Amino acid sequence: MEDNFFERVYKIARQIPEGKVTSYGAIAKALGTARSARMVGWAMNSCHNMEDVPAHRVVNRKGLLTGKHHFDGTNLMQQLLENEGVVVVDNQIIDFEKHFWMPKMNM
């Protein structure tokens, strides 16, 4: 069941457009599951060898780069976002609402 849940998380993450971000909680809500945002975080932390999953586009509900320590290099998550036009200051996305992407429900 967990692998299936993780795959459903990755399916949504792959759909996040370049220059946009979503939150762990938004993905959990879109999956229509009782599982928490924390489970989505675990799924994202487990996809490091999956180049087709843009994990850098998943942040916490306030736009903080809480998963950045799971990326190689000191500021790789920030650099990847900035390469897509997302401004980050002190691990916080500036204009978070402008960059936020809401996944469709029950993917």
Side-chain angles (χ1 to χ4, degrees):
M1 181 73 172
E2 185 172 286
D3 289 333
N4 185 31
F5 177 78
F6 280 23
E7 281 305 316
R8 290 169 54 213
V9 169
Y10 303 150
K11 180 179 178 184
I12 291 175
R14 287 182 186 107
Q15 295 177 21
I16 305 168
E18 185 174 317
K20 295 291 183 180
V21 295
T22 197
S23 67
Y24 304 106
I27 292 175
K29 185 175 180 182
L31 291 173
T33 179
R35 305 227 182 164
S36 69
R38 188 172 305 238
M39 279 293 289
V40 173
W42 292 338
M44 297 313 299
N45 293 342
S46 297
C47 71
H48 297 295
N49 295 328
M50 303 171 74
E51 293 183 18
D52 65 325
V53 178
H56 65 284
R57 296 180 187 152
V58 183
V59 298
N60 86 352
R61 64 188 169 91
K62 296 179 181 178
L64 289 170
L65 310 189
T66 53
K68 76 176 211 157
H69 59 280
H70 294 284
F71 287 81
D72 291 334
T74 310
N75 290 314
L76 181 59
M77 184 177 188
Q78 180 173 335
Q79 290 169 351
L80 291 169
L81 287 168
E82 288 177 343
N83 288 346
E84 296 180 5
V86 178
V87 178
V88 179
V89 175
D90 293 328
N91 297 318
Q92 173 85 43
I93 293 174
I94 303 301
D95 293 328
F96 180 57
E97 297 80 17
K98 175 182 134 186
H99 295 288
F100 188 78
W101 176 81
M102 180 59 80
K104 290 185 173 51
M105 300 295 283
N106 296 316
M107 304 213 58

